């Protein structure tokens, strides 16, 4: 019997282990830390053997194949030993994709916008009455959905880490929102390595498939000629003009028309509940993907107009004393913050900082100079932010905790201002993850603002 070892007991790992168990493999889940109670309960329910608090190397190195959770870097000692033994290491996406039968996958990746775009695609398809599951980097584990459901479509948000372990998996509709520097600490601080990871979204696609991508993104434009791409291309654009016989979407004067094949829909972005140029781009990508999937254009229009902001992404929290508090905790890289600052229409008190991922803050200086009244640096190491924005914004304040940062922001804000939490950094110095950071921001605002 083939032995599958699953490394990591989070949402990706427990789903992969349960799918392996259902398919009759000899399976072991191993986590160096503690497995969350809700995942442990599922493993017990399915009678999946697991260990936590360390790895049994002898058992792991006897595996036929290892399914590695995306949060575990290739530099981890146990992963290095697995690879030295020549044992194949794949992602949950690669593993689960083997068992979807006739179902199809819409796969969304990119440095920014992928969560909103994925959520919007899922909303449109669900509203259309399609038999669809949401998974990957958001929603339920893809593997768990495959193990326990019978879906016609899977809408998956894929990080570069998930794409790294993808080999035979195929996206029937692939969406690439953009490629800008991010997670360079996981890619030897080499942008080329990160770009290669993102471009794996087109791997194995055929002439029957669709590729939705930003026609404005210079990095994507430079990459496309390097690939023998047989699929139908659907660029979306706000600045460029890229011709494609399969269809496209172009934003002009606040409106866009998205066309995929013979299907077309016109959207007035002023009627959308999600604002900003970045969300117009996300809506163009979602419209193209769902039209390609066969959704009726009128349903696409209705769902886009009804879609609410995603939690932790430019999420209005409250307005107190004339000050609007905005939770953009999911903005963990420079490009994401660029779109956040671009969308600000009020003088802004900007809260940034955390675990720097090799950021170049230069692209933010123009918006910071024009829109930011005060920068509040929130992190254990604020030196780089202070250096980059001193002299760019009128006031820079250094703090080392959430409470201190928010108290400073409250003191700096005036009626008519916005307080924007848009960190440009990972959260791991002070928080469990960006969700924890955003939730604690919202709780503080509710109690103190």
């Amino acid at each position: 019997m083939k032995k599958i070892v699953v490394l990591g007991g989070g949402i990706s790992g427990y789903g992969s282990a349960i799918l392996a168990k259902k398919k009759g493999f000899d399976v072991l889940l191993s986590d160096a830390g503690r497995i969350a109670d809700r995942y442990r309960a599922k493993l017990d329910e399915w009678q999946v053997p697991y260990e936590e608090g360390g790895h049994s190397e002898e058992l792991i190195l006897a595996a036929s194949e290892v399914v590695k959770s995306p949060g575990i870097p290739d530099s981890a000692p146990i992963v290095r030993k697995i690879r030295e033994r020549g044992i194949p290491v794949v992602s949950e996406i690669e593993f689960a994709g083997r068992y979807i039968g006739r179902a199809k996958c819409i796969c969304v990746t990119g440095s920014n916008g992928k969560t909103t775009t994925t959520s919007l695609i899922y909303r449109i398809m669900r509203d259309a009455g399609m038999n669809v599951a949401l998974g990957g980097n958001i929603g339920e584990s893809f593997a768990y959905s495959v193990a326990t459901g019978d879906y016609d479509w899977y809408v998956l948000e894929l990080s570069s880490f998930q794409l790294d372990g993808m080999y035979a998996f195929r996206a029937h509709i692939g969406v690439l929102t953009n490629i800008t520097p991010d997670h360079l600490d996981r890619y030897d601080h080499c942008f080329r390595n990160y770009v290669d990871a993102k471009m794996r979204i087109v791997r194995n696609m055929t002439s029957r498939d669709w590729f939705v991508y930003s026609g404005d993104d210079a990095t994507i434009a430079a990459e496309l000629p390097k690939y023998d791409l047989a699929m139908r291309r659907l660029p979306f654009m706000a600045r460029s003009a890229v011709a494609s016989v399969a269809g496209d979407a172009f934003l002009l004067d606040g409106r866009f028309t998205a066309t995929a094949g013979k299907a077309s829909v016109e959207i007035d972005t002023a009627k959308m509940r999600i604002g900003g140029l970045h969300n117009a781009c996300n809506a163009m990508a979602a419209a193209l993907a769902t039209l390609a999937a066969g959704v009726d254009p009128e349903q696409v229009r209705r769902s886009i107009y009804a879609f609410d902001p995603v939690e932790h992404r430019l999420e209005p929290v409250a307005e107190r004393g004339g000050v609007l508090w905005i939770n953009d905790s999911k903005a963990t890289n420079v490009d994401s913050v660029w779109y956040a600052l671009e969308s600000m229409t009020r003088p802004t008190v900007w809260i940034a900082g955390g675990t720097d991922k090799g950021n170049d803050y230069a692209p933010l200086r123009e918006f910071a100079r024009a829109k930011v009244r005060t920068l509040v640096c929130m992190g254990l190491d604020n030196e780089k932010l202070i250096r980059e924005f001193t002299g760019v914004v009128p006031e820079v304040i250094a703090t080392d905790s959430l409470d201190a940062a928010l108290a400073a922001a409250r003191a700096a804000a005036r009626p008519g201002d916005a307080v924007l939490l848009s960190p440009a950094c990972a959260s791991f110095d002070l928080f469990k993850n960006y969700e924890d950071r955003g939730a604690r921001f919202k709780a503080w605002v509710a109690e103190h603002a």
Side-chain angles (χ1 to χ4, degrees):
M1 181 186 298
K2 185 176 181 180
K3 181 173 181 178
I4 299 292
V5 167
V6 177
L7 282 186
I11 190 167
S12 171
Y14 97 92
S16 299
I18 287 171
L19 178 59
K21 175 78 173 186
K22 184 172 181 178
K23 293 301 175 182
F25 296 116
D26 177 13
V27 59
L28 169 69
L29 183 146
S30 179
D31 195 308
R34 182 180 179 277
I35 301 172
D37 292 342
R38 63 188 183 280
Y39 301 143
R40 193 186 302 110
K42 287 288 187 183
L43 295 171
D44 289 337
E45 177 186 340
W46 283 81
Q47 298 181 327
V48 174
Y50 62 87
E51 62 177 0
E52 56 184 334
H55 297 305
S56 298
E57 288 190 9
E58 185 176 345
L59 295 176
I60 292 171
L61 297 178
S64 306
E65 185 173 50
V66 170
V67 182
K68 181 177 74 68
S69 295
I72 302 174
D74 284 340
S75 59
I78 188 63
V79 178
R80 288 179 172 173
K81 291 179 180 180
I82 291 166
R83 293 193 185 280
E84 287 169 2
R85 288 286 183 95
I87 301 169
V89 179
V90 301
S91 68
E92 172 207 4
I93 307 304
E94 175 76 10
F95 182 64
R98 299 168 184 170
Y99 305 105
I100 63 172
R102 297 173 65 87
K104 293 184 177 181
C105 294
I106 300 179
C107 300
V108 183
T109 195
S111 304
N112 298 293
K114 57 184 177 293
T115 296
T116 297
T117 303
T118 304
S119 301
L120 182 50
I121 290 170
Y122 174 69
R123 168 69 181 270
I124 293 168
M125 298 183 73
R126 188 189 64 189
D127 289 351
M130 302 177 83
N131 180 26
V132 58
L134 175 68
N137 218 30
I138 59 173
E140 181 53 89
S141 158
F142 176 38
Y144 187 78
S145 294
V146 172
T148 59
D150 185 15
Y151 296 96
D152 298 323
W153 287 92
Y154 295 91
V155 179
L156 307 175
E157 177 188 319
L158 301 183
S159 69
S160 57
F161 306 149
Q162 289 165 314
L163 290 167
D164 283 334
M166 189 183 95
Y167 302 97
F169 178 82
R170 166 185 163 209
H172 301 88
I173 300 174
V175 181
L176 181 55
T177 59
N178 45 54
I179 306 178
T180 60
D182 196 11
H183 300 299
L184 297 188
D185 51 333
R186 281 278 293 263
Y187 289 97
D188 298 324
H189 294 277
C190 176
F191 185 48
R192 173 77 261 159
N193 294 341
Y194 176 68
V195 171
D196 289 343
K198 285 298 186 186
M199 290 304 299
R200 292 174 76 90
I201 189 71
V202 301
R203 194 181 182 100
N204 305 316
M205 294 179 75
T206 73
S207 60
R208 301 187 300 277
D209 302 324
W210 302 82
F211 180 41
V212 179
Y213 66 96
S214 170
D216 292 330
D217 191 289
T219 300
I220 296 175
E223 290 302 302
L224 293 181
K226 302 176 184 178
Y227 293 82
D228 182 16
L229 302 178
M231 63 284 201
R232 293 165 283 186
R233 300 191 197 182
L234 299 174
F236 60 91
M237 298 152 285
R239 303 184 185 93
S240 306
V242 179
S244 173
V245 296
D248 58 35
F250 187 82
L251 180 67
L252 182 65
D253 296 332
R255 291 178 170 271
F256 70 80
T257 298
T259 302
K262 297 180 180 179
S264 186
V265 64
E266 182 176 329
I267 299 293
D268 179 355
T269 61
K271 296 181 180 179
M272 291 166 45
R273 297 181 184 179
I274 51 175
L277 175 61
H278 62 294
N279 278 323
C281 292
N282 295 338
M284 285 192 285
L288 289 171
T290 51
L291 290 173
V295 179
D296 179 75
E298 182 55 37
Q299 182 61 65
V300 173
R301 181 185 295 109
R302 286 197 300 268
S303 296
I304 287 177
Y305 287 160
F307 184 75
D308 290 313
V310 172
E311 188 178 18
H312 307 305
R313 189 69 181 102
L314 285 173
E315 175 192 10
V317 175
E319 184 157 356
R320 300 280 191 272
V323 176
L324 178 62
W325 295 75
I326 301 171
N327 169 28
D328 195 37
S329 181
K330 200 175 191 306
T332 59
N333 59 50
V334 167
D335 196 57
S336 195
V337 176
W338 188 95
Y339 283 105
L341 292 177
E342 182 271 339
S343 71
M344 290 295 104
T345 57
R346 301 181 178 209
T348 300
V349 176
W350 171 32
I351 303 171
T355 304
D356 186 276
K357 298 185 285 185
N359 292 342
D360 174 8
Y361 294 106
L364 302 180
R365 288 183 190 139
E366 182 179 349
F367 280 137
R369 184 176 288 110
K371 300 191 177 193
V372 175
R373 182 193 303 286
T374 300
L375 169 61
V376 179
C377 302
M378 177 184 63
L380 298 181
D381 182 4
N382 296 310
E383 183 179 341
K384 187 174 179 181
L385 275 170
I386 294 169
R387 183 175 67 249
E388 293 285 341
F389 290 99
T390 295
V392 177
V393 302
E395 183 179 31
V396 178
I397 301 171
T399 67
D400 60 3
S401 71
L402 177 69
D403 284 347
L406 295 183
R410 180 179 58 188
R414 308 169 191 172
D417 286 359
V419 174
L420 171 69
L421 171 66
S422 195
C425 299
S427 54
F428 305 125
D429 59 339
L430 297 175
F431 309 96
K432 295 177 183 176
N433 47 43
Y434 77 81
E435 293 99 335
D436 176 45
R437 177 169 57 193
R440 288 167 62 183
F441 173 83
K442 293 197 290 183
W444 191 97
V445 170
E447 184 175 353
H448 299 290

